[in-house]
Amino acid sequence: MEITDRQMELFVSGFCSFVLALSGAGWLLKSFERSSFIYFSDTGGSGIIFKKRPTKDCLPPGAGADAKAHVVVVGVSCPDLILPNGGTPAGTSSPASSSSLLNRLQLDDDIDGETRDLFVTVDDPKKHVCTMETYITYRITTKSTRVEFDLPEYSVRRRYQDFDWLRNKLEESQPTHLIPPLPEKFVVKGVVDRFSEEFVETRRKALDKFLKRITDHPVLSFNEHFNVFLTAKDLNAYKRQGMALLSRVGESVKHVTGGYKLRSRPLEFAAIGDYLDTFALKLGTIDRIAQRIIKEEIEYLVELREYGPVYSTWSALEGELAEPLEGVSACIGNCSTALEELTDDMTEDFLPVLREYILYSDSMKSVLKKRDQVQAEYEAKLEAVALRKEDRPKVPADVEKCQDRMECFNADLKADMERWQSNKRQDFRQLLMGMADKNIQYYEKVMSVPARPSPLSEEARLIARESLGQGPARNPAAATPAGPCPTVRDAAPGLGAEAPVGVPTGHSRAHAAHRSGSSLLPGPLGLAASCAPESGGLQSRERAGPRGPWGLSLKASSLRLLGLPYVGSESSFYSNLRVTKEGSME
Amino acid sequence: MEQAPPDLERQWQPAPLEPLGHADAGLQAAVGEEAEGSRDEVPGDGTEHALGLGVLMTENNFGLKKIEISVSEAEKRTGRNAMNMQETYTAYLIETRSVEHTDGQSVLTDSLWRRYSEFELLRNYLLVYYPHIVVPPLPEKRAEFVWHKLSADNMDPDFVERRRIGLENFLLRVASHPILCRDKIFYLFLTQEGNWKETVNETGFQLKADSRLKALNATFRVKNPDKRFTELKHYSDELQSVISHLLRVRARVADRLYGVYKVHGNYGRVFSEWSAIEKEMGDGLQSAGHHMDVYASSIDDILEDEEHYADQLKEYLFYAEALRAVCRKHELMQYDLEMAAQDLASKKQQCEELATGTVRTFSLKGMTTKLFGQETPEQREARIKVLEEQINEGEQQLKSKNLEGREFVKNAWADIERFKEQKNHDLKEALISYAVMQISMCKKGIQVWTNAKECFSKM
């Protein structure tokens, strides 16, 4: 590829004006520092490398545009210029260590978020209905201390198309980098209502993730298009303005993508390619499994919803058995509620992350392909030179340039891959742990005693919490329904051994009872309470049950629900119960 | 065959096909000291009753004996039937042991083979001879309400095993029944291998059996049905329909649950394949995959346990039919009684007519009298005499039928009360075990997912 001086000038002047608008010396310095730190090690300091430049080409050392132009271009467009200094960049005597340190720091940043200087959130989706089309816009709020931003905070509305534009721009301007994927434009399976709440919310989350990934990226987050995307009042105007520039860049891209055949991919990239193939395949399988599980669970839910009421029907026939049957019915009802939550959680939280990574592997593959093209170009040129070797002993500048390009590409890609790997590891750890957690929660909910349709228990719990947290007292009349209220009060003296003396109102007596009850929880009495005969006041402790050895307490309470004394394997526990139960009845 | 909600057809079904599930396995182990209690007319409480299950108290030439019963083995056999056709059937080994009360040692192990049809014969016999008793049902002839994983094949080992347990349970139920346990035929069933069938047939129970048509007739014609029995019949209808519905839905629930667990098993495979290409995440994924495998296979045991629960419910599904048989018998007797009373009333009227010479209603007899002239006084006297004799006889019959009916109601009700108690006790127990099962399933689930989470956290 050839870029004439004329073209170069055009570029440089274009960017200069942009720089003038934005830059200050401090920022220039800062971004410069940042870049050199991060990327030196990756290149191994070989040759002259310009990276992350929106202009997509590399300048030969000392070529047309001079050093000043270099700096300006760097300042505007790429924070990670590596200055040529005859092979080894100055000030990076131990590039590997500094880079890994910084990478680590970068990771830490992701975790504690303290040293971050750019925060972007996507929220508040809004539906717009025009004559021509209906679409959703999302509010994008940016907070930053970076000097590129004139204001500390921006808020703009963007639609999916704009995100798409941004991604294309990033891909064009940073061809050597891995650009995070956008959610699919259309949902592949089934006809999904694009304006449904779930769809919009899922997409909002994915878009938020997309911007966050760019924000976290040390190079992409400094991209001018990204900046414009976050701040411009009228993005369309900017889009139009960029057209002219784009067409020229497009040419050079076309030039690059001419059909070269790659001799051999370097081993490490071949490994990455293989890895990505398998990874995408496995993720696809996991995605299908997850969907299948959700489907099975939904069908299970349907059956459960029929199953529970049958027990209720039966209980209507029976006398003595009515209560245990009703209990089973309630438990099944409880189970279906928990199951519904589980499937919702999995659909909302689990699947989108899988999808993102499947898409991610696609973008990775396309970057790999681009890299291959660059390498192919280099190899082709090298071959051509080899043929004419006798004529010119010196390797021509454009071949050298090409080599630089390739090496720069390799370095970028490796760095991004590393980043991606660590992100992936974290994301999947979180995702899978989340899945395990959701399932554990599901089972815990299934085991817990279903809330009886008594508003009292809810109220009692509230009161208990308030009294524990010394929160503001509630008006007892308003807090408890008139009817069952005495139950709470009656329950109080029975268990309220620790009740403060001389409490004037029934309300605070109830408080005291709950306090004592709650404090007793871990001990056997707490369990006894959960097994004690039904009284509204006691339900609150039961709900708090999991704090005790809940496996047992829940079992006890389920049995209580069945209205049965238990004679079984854990007899010591239950005999214990019986004793305390009698005690509490005195 | 018995899935349909009760309808008329249903009542025609021969009772012998009544299957039952099984109660607690290992009942035979319960050598209950309380066995004495099961001799009482109605056991005081269910616990005592249940504990006595393993032992038969039987009165024979040697006086009262305690016997332990178990159906210990099932064997597939091939033989020739009455039509000289090749057939395959399953025979079950019944073992009985006399327990000497004094030293508590069991001696005299006796064992013999019986096939399902012989159990059916025994039950039919019991049904006929003890119409006032809720005769324990047999396990199902063919597997019903099963979820897909269970085979409906009669020769399937799982099915045979469940039936073995069911048959044992049936014998124990009969043996623990205060009245049925004293039956001679039952005793012979347990102890005499050859000629038992002939002995049963000699009792002529088939002749005594009420025709189904008659029973159906009675159902519609009976004028003053006993309210209690009508209610009971209604209850057993509803019980049957609700339990069969429950079992059907449960089978579907089990199917789905099985699906949910088994699909998780795929994670096991993918995680381990995925782990091969990962460096840091590899180990965590690999072992998490292992936990997913454990999770997927845990459902087998869970559902197997649940199958026991389903069998317990099934027994009561079939008990509902037994309950109805008692109601039907009562209707039949009531109908007989009413017919006898009607017959007597009409005879009395005839007699009166002859005596007074007035014909109150138009009758064929009146017509013939008019056509062929008056009878001679002698003839009339003779006829009146015959009628009076018949009336006397009828009154006697009515009296005895009334007595019989009262006796039946008394006995039947006593047994129904016993049955209700047994039912409440058993089902409560079943529900408890179901709840415990569910809780242990949850605990298992939590355990597996906690392990998996730990693996994930190490990634």
Side-chain angles (χ1 to χ4, degrees):
Chain A
M1 55 155 264
E2 243 68 48
I3 296 183
T4 62
D5 285 358
R6 170 79 189 126
Q7 276 176 321
M8 196 58 222
E9 264 174 46
L10 263 171
F11 274 131
V12 170
S13 61
F15 282 115
C16 275
S17 57
F18 193 56
V19 174
L20 287 177
L22 287 173
S23 69
W27 170 71
L28 202 122
L29 203 72
K30 184 181 160 206
S31 54
F32 183 73
E33 274 169 12
R34 178 183 273 265
S35 63
S36 53
F37 261 121
I38 300 166
Y39 283 94
F40 259 51
S41 69
D42 300 321
T43 62
S46 60
I48 311 134
I49 295 165
F50 283 87
K51 302 205 296 180
K52 291 89 194 174
R53 294 198 332 168
T55 53
K56 281 191 164 45
D57 63 339
C58 297
L59 292 171
D66 60 13
K68 182 185 157 230
H70 281 192
V71 175
V72 172
V73 170
V74 167
V76 176
S77 59
C78 73
D80 45 358
L81 162 78
I82 294 168
L83 279 177
N85 66 348
T88 319
T92 53
S93 45
S94 58
S97 63
S98 70
S99 133
S100 62
L101 179 73
L102 215 105
N103 273 347
R104 224 176 299 137
L105 282 176
Q106 208 78 30
L107 269 181
D108 290 345
D109 282 359
D110 289 350
I111 293 160
D112 57 38
E114 267 174 35
T115 45
R116 267 199 208 164
D117 53 4
L118 181 62
F119 299 89
V120 180
T121 48
V122 178
D123 58 7
D124 187 31
K126 249 191 208 140
K127 193 170 171 180
H128 296 258
V129 185
C130 305
T131 43
M132 295 293 286
E133 54 179 352
T134 305
Y135 59 92
I136 307 276
T137 64
Y138 304 86
R139 185 176 68 188
I140 296 162
T141 314
T142 311
K143 288 182 191 169
S144 180
T145 52
R146 290 187 187 179
V147 279
E148 309 88 304
F149 295 94
D150 292 337
L151 302 170
E153 195 171 335
Y154 290 90
S155 179
V156 290
R157 296 201 76 86
R158 300 280 182 251
R159 54 185 293 192
Y160 182 83
Q161 280 182 359
D162 302 329
F163 283 88
D164 205 33
W165 170 85
L166 170 65
R167 192 170 188 283
N168 286 334
K169 279 288 168 197
L170 287 173
E171 222 166 20
E172 273 163 24
S173 55
Q174 319 274 7
T176 63
H177 278 286
L178 171 62
I179 317 293
L182 271 178
E184 292 116 319
K185 174 110 193 159
F186 295 110
V187 174
V188 188
K189 272 179 195 167
V191 186
V192 173
D193 178 12
R194 280 197 304 136
F195 304 108
S196 74
E197 215 171 285
E198 297 88 52
F199 179 83
V200 169
E201 177 58 16
T202 311
R203 177 167 272 186
R204 186 200 64 75
K205 276 189 194 158
L207 293 175
D208 188 58
K209 192 87 196 164
F210 170 71
L211 290 188
K212 285 214 160 64
R213 292 218 188 268
I214 297 175
T215 310
D216 288 343
H217 197 282
V219 178
L220 297 181
S221 65
F222 286 92
N223 186 282
E224 50 154 329
H225 298 295
F226 183 52
N227 192 312
V228 170
F229 176 84
L230 294 180
T231 57
K233 275 270 163 270
D234 185 5
L235 191 66
N236 288 331
Y238 181 81
K239 278 187 193 173
R240 280 192 295 276
Q241 189 193 320
M243 283 303 199
L245 205 65
L246 180 74
S247 59
R248 222 167 280 129
V249 175
E251 265 171 50
S252 75
V253 169
K254 220 179 281 168
H255 193 78
V256 172
T257 53
Y260 290 106
K261 217 177 171 190
L262 184 63
R263 224 175 274 155
S264 71
R265 226 183 222 182
L267 264 179
E268 58 182 319
F269 291 108
I272 291 176
D274 290 347
Y275 170 82
L276 284 177
D277 285 342
T278 323
F279 179 73
L281 204 70
K282 294 305 156 207
L283 276 200
T285 316
I286 291 176
D287 184 48
R288 279 201 306 280
I289 295 171
Q291 283 189 48
R292 178 74 197 279
I293 287 174
I294 289 169
K295 193 177 145 252
E296 293 280 343
E297 278 170 350
I298 286 168
E299 281 169 354
Y300 179 46
L301 185 64
V302 169
E303 302 297 350
L304 276 185
R305 290 230 168 97
E306 189 182 344
Y307 190 44
V310 182
Y311 281 99
S312 292
T313 317
W314 188 0
S315 91
L317 292 179
E318 300 286 346
E320 209 182 313
L321 282 175
E323 205 192 330
L325 286 169
E326 201 52 67
V328 172
S329 168
C331 285
I332 294 169
N334 187 37
C335 180
S336 31
T337 316
L339 186 67
E340 199 176 1
E341 284 167 26
L342 177 69
T343 50
D344 284 353
D345 284 342
M346 293 305 275
T347 317
E348 282 165 26
D349 300 335
F350 193 72
L351 292 183
V353 180
L354 284 181
R355 300 258 162 78
E356 190 200 359
Y357 270 91
I358 292 171
L359 293 171
Y360 231 138
S361 64
D362 286 342
S363 2
M364 295 265 287
K365 279 186 214 164
S366 76
V367 180
L368 264 186
K369 219 173 272 168
K370 275 187 214 154
R371 195 213 66 87
D372 287 349
Q373 280 160 3
V374 173
Q375 193 193 342
E377 190 189 352
Y378 166 65
E379 280 170 1
K381 281 192 175 161
L382 210 61
E383 214 168 296
V385 169
L387 285 173
R388 293 171 288 166
K389 205 159 189 180
E390 305 83 44
D391 312 346
R392 288 183 218 168
K394 230 182 111 197
V395 179
D398 68 323
V399 175
E400 217 165 80
K401 190 179 82 181
C402 225
Q403 185 183 4
D404 292 345
R405 231 177 97 94
M406 188 188 80
E407 273 164 23
C408 140
F409 209 134
N410 289 354
D412 281 356
L413 194 56
K414 267 194 275 180
D416 273 4
M417 184 70 192
E418 222 164 85
R419 278 187 68 77
W420 181 81
Q421 282 282 15
S422 81
N423 273 346
K424 180 203 72 182
R425 191 174 153 197
Q426 259 184 20
D427 285 350
F428 273 98
R429 184 168 63 198
Q430 218 177 355
L431 181 74
L432 293 171
M433 280 172 75
M435 174 171 86
D437 266 337
K438 290 281 183 267
N439 275 285
I440 292 169
Q441 280 165 22
Y442 161 71
Y443 283 116
E444 281 172 356
K445 276 183 215 151
V446 170
M447 273 168 81
S448 70
V449 174
R452 288 287 179 84
S454 116
L456 174 71
S457 60
E458 196 57 37
E459 280 304 328
R461 202 167 53 89
L462 272 178
I463 294 169
R465 190 186 293 155
E466 274 170 18
S467 70
L468 277 171
Q470 305 300 320
R474 289 175 67 135
N475 178 3
T480 21
C485 193
T487 341
V488 182
R489 290 178 190 164
D490 292 345
L495 283 136
E498 298 165 29
V501 191
V503 278
T505 66
H507 175 226
S508 43
R509 285 223 320 268
H511 267 200
H514 286 300
R515 186 154 49 225
S516 62
S518 305
S519 65
L520 283 171
L521 239 186
L525 257 176
L527 292 172
S530 73
C531 206
E534 182 139 9
S535 92
L538 294 171
Q539 293 241 341
S540 63
R541 246 153 281 134
E542 206 167 89
R543 286 171 146 263
R547 261 187 282 163
W550 52 266
L552 293 177
S553 79
L554 285 171
K555 183 167 180 177
S557 42
S558 309
L559 292 170
R560 187 198 55 70
L561 198 80
L562 292 169
L564 301 163
Y566 184 83
V567 191
S569 53
E570 281 154 306
S571 54
S572 62
F573 170 74
Y574 286 101
S575 58
N576 214 2
L577 262 186
R578 215 162 293 131
V579 171
T580 47
K581 195 170 154 187
E582 278 158 19
S584 72
M585 279 152 114
E586 281 165 17
Chain B
M1 100 214 136
E2 282 167 11
Q3 274 162 332
D7 54 17
L8 289 180
E9 219 29 55
R10 182 72 192 78
Q11 304 193 348
W12 281 74
Q13 295 262 334
L17 302 186
E18 292 334 48
L20 86 172
H22 80 284
D24 323 53
L27 274 172
Q28 70 268 34
V31 185
E33 295 305 317
E34 283 88 349
E36 305 284 2
S38 65
R39 284 164 60 208
D40 301 340
E41 277 300 303
V42 176
D45 75 314
T47 322
E48 188 187 358
H49 187 59
L51 283 171
L53 266 179
V55 179
L56 166 67
M57 303 294 296
T58 182
E59 234 169 339
N60 57 12
N61 303 338
F62 313 105
L64 274 174
K65 266 213 302 192
K66 264 185 156 183
I67 297 178
E68 269 182 29
I69 304 165
S70 66
V71 178
S72 53
E73 233 177 280
E75 195 179 275
K76 198 170 156 182
R77 290 187 180 181
T78 331
R80 298 199 168 271
N81 65 6
M83 312 276 286
N84 207 24
M85 299 257 283
Q86 191 87 8
E87 60 169 2
T88 311
Y89 61 90
T90 312
Y92 299 88
L93 184 68
I94 302 172
E95 285 185 336
T96 47
R97 286 189 299 167
S98 298
V99 183
E100 292 306 317
H101 202 58
T102 45
D103 55 3
Q105 292 293 309
S106 51
V107 280
L108 273 169
T109 303
D110 208 352
S111 66
L112 50 85
W113 292 91
R114 295 269 181 228
R115 51 184 294 193
Y116 187 79
S117 58
E118 289 169 306
F119 279 89
E120 277 184 332
L121 188 64
L122 172 66
R123 188 165 188 275
N124 282 348
Y125 158 82
L126 292 175
L127 274 176
V128 171
Y129 267 81
Y130 301 94
H132 58 281
I133 282 172
V134 187
V135 181
L138 283 173
E140 58 206 337
K141 177 128 187 151
R142 255 166 254 287
E144 284 173 54
F145 307 112
V146 291
W147 53 292
H148 78 269
K149 210 198 130 212
L150 292 182
S151 163
D153 176 17
N154 272 9
M155 290 297 160
D156 180 82
D158 277 350
F159 176 75
V160 169
E161 170 59 13
R162 287 187 323 122
R163 185 191 257 183
R164 181 194 68 73
I165 296 168
L167 289 173
E168 183 175 281
N169 186 47
F170 166 74
L171 292 181
L172 297 177
R173 288 254 193 233
V174 174
S176 66
H177 193 280
I179 295 162
L180 296 182
C181 71
R182 291 157 192 264
D183 188 81
K184 183 110 193 299
I185 295 290
F186 175 56
Y187 181 70
L188 291 177
F189 179 83
L190 296 175
T191 53
Q192 183 186 324
E193 182 142 36
N195 288 334
W196 177 79
K197 261 189 184 170
E198 288 73 9
T199 320
V200 178
N201 288 331
E202 272 165 27
T203 62
F205 78 95
Q206 268 134 337
L207 298 174
K208 283 185 77 179
D210 301 306
S211 99
R212 298 272 149 183
L213 191 65
K214 213 170 142 197
L216 184 68
N217 200 18
T219 308
F220 290 110
R221 299 252 192 116
V222 70
K223 279 179 192 134
N224 296 309
D226 188 320
K227 232 182 170 176
R228 289 192 298 177
F229 282 94
T230 319
E231 268 169 26
L232 190 67
K233 197 175 159 191
H234 187 63
Y235 167 77
S236 57
D237 284 348
E238 290 201 4
L239 184 68
Q240 192 177 37
S241 97
V242 78
I243 297 184
S244 70
H245 186 197
L246 192 69
L247 285 168
R248 226 172 305 132
V249 181
R250 191 214 64 93
R252 289 207 303 266
V253 167
D255 260 344
R256 297 303 176 200
L257 191 63
Y258 184 76
V260 170
Y261 271 73
K262 285 300 176 195
V263 179
H264 274 93
N266 293 324
Y267 277 148
R269 192 172 41 78
V270 184
F271 282 172
S272 99
E273 285 168 9
W274 181 13
S275 74
I277 59 162
E278 294 290 349
K279 287 187 198 83
E280 298 98 332
M281 288 164 69
D283 289 348
L285 274 178
Q286 175 83 47
S287 39
H290 169 70
H291 289 304
M292 289 295 97
D293 287 340
V294 171
Y295 183 69
S297 58
S298 71
I299 191 64
D300 294 327
D301 287 346
I302 292 168
L303 287 181
E304 201 171 293
D305 286 349
E306 248 198 58
E307 217 51 43
H308 292 306
Y309 170 66
D311 281 342
Q312 281 170 315
L313 291 184
K314 245 182 239 176
E315 183 182 12
Y316 278 91
L317 172 70
F318 302 130
Y319 254 128
E321 177 56 30
L323 207 53
R324 235 172 13 197
V326 176
C327 295
R328 267 206 305 266
K329 181 68 188 174
H330 176 258
E331 271 172 356
L332 204 59
M333 292 181 80
Q334 180 71 21
Y335 179 65
D336 274 354
L337 186 71
E338 282 171 12
M339 290 308 283
Q342 207 180 336
D343 195 40
L344 189 65
S346 80
K347 287 215 170 94
K348 275 184 178 161
Q349 192 191 338
Q350 259 183 48
C351 187
E352 198 187 328
E353 281 167 12
L354 283 172
T356 56
T358 53
V359 179
R360 282 187 199 157
T361 50
F362 179 80
S363 69
L364 190 68
K365 209 157 267 168
M367 286 295 287
T368 48
T369 316
K370 275 184 183 146
L371 283 171
F372 304 105
Q374 292 278 322
E375 293 164 299
T376 60
E378 290 77 31
Q379 277 173 316
R380 212 165 63 186
E381 278 303 308
R383 284 190 52 204
I384 289 176
K385 214 176 168 192
V386 171
L387 269 177
E388 272 172 351
E389 251 168 48
Q390 280 177 346
I391 288 169
N392 260 338
E393 211 175 281
E395 265 172 352
Q396 283 299 322
Q397 218 180 350
L398 190 65
K399 213 171 149 189
S400 77
K401 273 206 158 82
N402 249 324
L403 210 67
E404 201 188 323
R406 264 201 294 274
E407 190 68 16
F408 177 86
V409 170
K410 194 184 130 220
N411 289 336
W413 208 254
D415 198 61
I416 285 163
E417 288 297 335
R418 180 201 61 80
F419 167 76
K420 277 183 182 164
E421 225 166 289
Q422 174 203 319
K423 181 202 72 182
N424 283 344
H425 177 264
D426 285 2
L427 288 178
K428 250 187 210 176
E429 203 113 287
L431 289 172
I432 292 180
S433 72
Y434 188 51
V436 170
M437 227 182 281
Q438 297 299 316
I439 289 165
S440 86
M441 178 180 95
C442 290
K443 280 185 183 167
K444 264 188 206 165
I446 289 174
Q447 188 58 50
V448 172
W449 280 109
T450 310
N451 291 342
K453 189 182 164 189
E454 206 170 294
C455 298
F456 291 139
S457 74
K458 284 178 192 150
M459 283 180 5

